[in-house]
Amino acid sequence: MTPTFNGYRRANGRVGVRNYVAVIPTSVAASSIVRGASEIGAWAKPTPHQMGTSQPPAAREQTERVLVGTGQNPNVGAALVVELGTEESDAGELADQIAETGKAVETLSIRDAGGTRLAVKRAKEILKDLNEEVSLARREEADASELIFAAECGGSDATSGIASNPTVGNASDRLVEDGGTASFSETPEFIGAEHILAERCVDDELREHLLERVAQREEMADMMGVDLRGAQPTPGNQEGGLTTIEEKSLGAIAKGGTTPVEGMVEYAERLPTGGGLVLMDTPGYDVESVVGKVAGGAQVVAFTTGRGSTTGNPIAPVIKVAGNPKTWEKMSNNMDVNASTVFDGDSVEEVGGRLYDTLLSVADGQHTEAEKRGLEEFAVNEVQPKQIAGSGVGR
Amino acid sequence: MKGLVIDDVGLKLTAKDNVATALDDLDAGRSIDAEGVDIELLEDVPFGHKFSLEALAEGDKVYKYGEVIAQTTQPVEPGAWVHTHNAESTRGRGDLSEVGQ
């Protein structure tokens, strides 16, 4: 029997596990306004970011994809898009795209509102109205197959590839078996393990696409004239026993379990529902990578760590999975699932089952440690000029 | 946990591997029974770090997960700590490329 959870079914049929009003700035110029306005209640979730009012087209397209995808995520019941009024990205256009999901979306221009003080006041009024509508939604039973589960790793060490990543991989396998979607990303951390992923691709076209994207990430080291070893593995990874990017990658891909690779989408592009294991082409930066998958529609994230990490997300609950017993002890108030018990003899299947149960409980509304502590990092991956000029990474 | 536990203190992930992962902070001089072969640790090996199960020549491939994770940059004795001081990646070497110079 397929497991179920209770979630919020949206007008377009997709199911949210939270019921938030998103407060989305079109640029950095509106970021402090969304923060100020969101003090109105914990249900208002700001997504402040650092992108400027003017970006090259390829970079702007990616920023817009992230902001629209974030608003479209089914954990969001309604959204307010805020602009200064000078941005090349138009708040009205972004709002229209978010509203295609059938949810209520409003816009606000700081200039038209009469400056920051009045803009915050007006934003709070709009948010209050939106929330009145959103709070009418009730949880109803939904099938696990409607979940998109994103996996991320950060602060990796040698325990990641042995304990926490295989645990997440096992939970991903269980969800795929139950008809859902599992996704992992961080393309630079496929380097050295891409041949294994390539073998698991469902067809040649996908296989070639995957290998091309990995090659592009490796070439970026060439374009920048740097030695990837300076950044990958990070000094922290190295202290934790990881010697090379190949070693880190071979551990990292364990997050994807053992099922076939069904597809690979762009950064922040929509992940299919009921899609099996689908990769996303993202950088290795944790916050940007999580944000990309949540913009792609992931309702719940599992984040594995060896050395410890505190990363959360404003829109999707982040379940922390610790692989290192010392980190589980020292940072227990940031950790949700202890995968380090595999070193004491627990099987990966047992711990993976525990994580899958946690995933469903969190989908039902149980708060993660990151949620309890208000950890809600948000950052957009910026397409760099050399990427645009070079190989079209990030389009 | 996948793999073979060696003398309670090391983890050899696949039969093909020539390094094992330390399951505890291990002290230099410790003797380890590695599948019937006695190995003495030449250095301290911290938890999660690797020690060599075999004698390796410079440029030899290092195997973990049954896959190549590095190549050695100098000869490595059995029982030696294997890390960035004696092994390196073969990938993403933009420093050796002329493109970005």
Side-chain angles (χ1 to χ4, degrees):
Chain A
M1 204 181 69
T2 310
T4 59
F5 67 100
N6 290 312
Y8 301 95
R9 191 168 294 282
R10 305 300 179 192
N12 63 351
R14 287 163 68 191
V15 183
V17 304
R18 296 293 182 268
N19 197 32
Y20 297 140
V21 180
V23 198
I24 301 169
T26 59
S27 77
V28 65
S31 281
S32 52
I33 298 299
V34 303
R35 245 192 237 108
S38 301
E39 285 169 6
I40 189 169
W43 45 265
K45 295 296 179 191
T47 63
H49 61 86
Q50 79 283 25
M51 294 303 156
T53 54
S54 172
Q55 286 187 278
R60 190 172 78 235
E61 194 209 321
Q62 177 153 304
T63 301
E64 292 179 353
R65 197 162 68 240
V66 172
L67 300 179
V68 168
T70 300
Q72 288 183 339
N73 186 297
N75 291 354
V76 172
L80 169 63
V81 183
V82 183
E83 63 180 8
L84 173 64
T86 61
E87 290 90 344
E88 283 176 357
S89 293
D90 181 65
E93 277 173 29
L94 300 189
D96 286 347
Q97 289 179 57
I98 295 170
E100 282 168 15
T101 57
K103 63 185 79 171
V105 188
E106 297 289 340
T107 61
L108 177 71
S109 156
I110 297 167
R111 282 187 165 180
D112 291 349
T116 55
R117 192 177 60 83
L118 289 170
V120 169
K121 184 168 172 277
R122 180 70 195 122
K124 283 183 175 173
E125 287 165 8
I126 297 171
L127 289 174
K128 196 162 163 279
D129 288 346
L130 287 173
N131 189 48
E132 269 174 28
E133 198 176 325
V134 163
S135 30
L136 297 175
R138 290 288 171 268
R139 285 189 185 265
E140 58 182 81
E141 193 173 84
D143 205 281
S145 64
E146 301 189 73
L147 286 173
I148 300 176
F149 175 47
E152 181 73 24
C153 55
S156 297
D157 67 14
T159 66
S160 301
I162 296 168
S164 51
N165 290 342
T167 293
V168 170
N170 182 268
S172 295
D173 282 351
R174 287 170 192 263
L175 182 62
V176 169
E177 172 77 15
D178 286 335
T181 303
S183 179
F184 75 106
S185 62
E186 303 181 276
T187 316
E189 293 163 26
F190 300 167
I191 295 173
E194 68 269 53
H195 56 294
I196 298 171
L197 288 175
E199 271 173 31
R200 283 167 55 191
C201 286
V202 290
D203 59 46
D204 286 343
E205 196 185 337
L206 176 61
R207 190 170 297 124
E208 279 162 29
H209 177 66
L210 165 69
L211 292 173
E212 184 192 307
R213 286 311 170 95
V214 175
Q216 282 173 352
R217 294 282 172 179
E218 196 169 1
E219 280 161 17
M220 268 165 64
D222 283 358
M223 280 191 283
M224 312 284 179
V226 295
D227 176 358
L228 190 64
R229 291 174 305 170
Q232 289 280 18
T234 66
N237 295 152
Q238 292 182 22
E239 213 179 301
L242 297 176
T243 305
T244 64
I245 183 62
E246 297 95 306
E247 183 180 11
K248 182 176 175 178
S249 296
L250 289 161
I253 66 163
K255 296 194 297 293
T258 58
T259 61
V261 178
E262 302 280 351
M264 185 178 199
V265 299
E266 301 294 334
Y267 178 75
E269 189 182 343
R270 174 89 167 89
L271 291 158
T273 302
L277 178 65
V278 180
L279 309 179
M280 183 179 279
D281 184 15
T282 76
Y285 310 120
D286 302 338
V287 175
E288 294 177 6
S289 175
V290 170
V291 162
K293 292 192 287 288
V294 174
Q299 303 108 314
V300 185
V301 180
F303 192 119
T304 69
T305 188
R307 298 175 57 78
S309 160
T310 58
T311 301
N313 182 270
I315 305 301
V318 176
I319 302 166
K320 280 282 161 37
V321 183
N324 187 319
K326 287 175 189 162
T327 301
W328 171 258
E329 272 173 39
K330 265 168 45 184
M331 290 186 68
S332 59
N333 59 357
N334 288 111
M335 299 295 142
D336 296 282
V337 173
N338 183 7
S340 75
T341 57
V342 303
F343 291 106
D344 306 324
D346 277 4
S347 69
V348 164
E349 287 71 26
E350 281 172 81
V351 190
R354 231 159 58 207
L355 172 60
Y356 195 49
D357 291 343
T358 303
L359 163 65
L360 291 165
S361 303
V362 167
D364 269 332
Q366 180 186 304
H367 281 176
T368 65
E369 295 297 331
E371 285 182 295
K372 288 178 198 165
R373 282 160 188 77
L375 300 167
E376 301 180 351
E377 292 80 5
F378 191 90
V380 177
N381 174 246
E382 183 173 19
V383 179
Q384 301 294 330
K386 277 202 172 183
Q387 281 176 272
I388 298 170
S391 47
V393 173
R395 290 202 274 204
Chain B
M1 196 161 60
K2 252 190 189 171
L4 178 73
V5 175
I6 294 172
D7 209 357
D8 289 338
V9 296
L11 178 66
K12 187 178 171 183
L13 285 160
T14 73
K16 197 176 180 182
D17 295 2
N18 51 18
V19 293
T21 300
L23 292 173
D24 207 342
D25 290 331
L26 305 179
D27 293 331
R30 179 174 188 135
S31 153
I32 294 170
D33 173 7
E35 301 173 87
V37 182
D38 249 356
I39 289 175
E40 191 182 313
L41 289 186
L42 303 178
E43 295 142 280
D44 291 349
V45 182
F47 172 72
H49 287 240
K50 298 171 290 298
F51 57 89
S52 185
L53 298 168
E54 296 169 14
L56 302 172
E58 182 182 337
D60 274 2
K61 291 186 170 76
V62 180
Y63 287 90
K64 181 184 169 184
Y65 299 104
E67 301 283 338
V68 177
I69 61 156
Q71 63 184 19
T72 56
T73 54
Q74 60 191 64
V76 173
E77 296 295 312
W81 175 41
V82 177
H83 202 25
T84 48
H85 61 287
N86 56 10
E88 67 174 10
S89 170
T90 59
R91 303 290 300 270
R93 297 296 300 276
D95 59 327
L96 303 178
S97 152
E98 288 174 12
V99 184
Q101 304 299 310

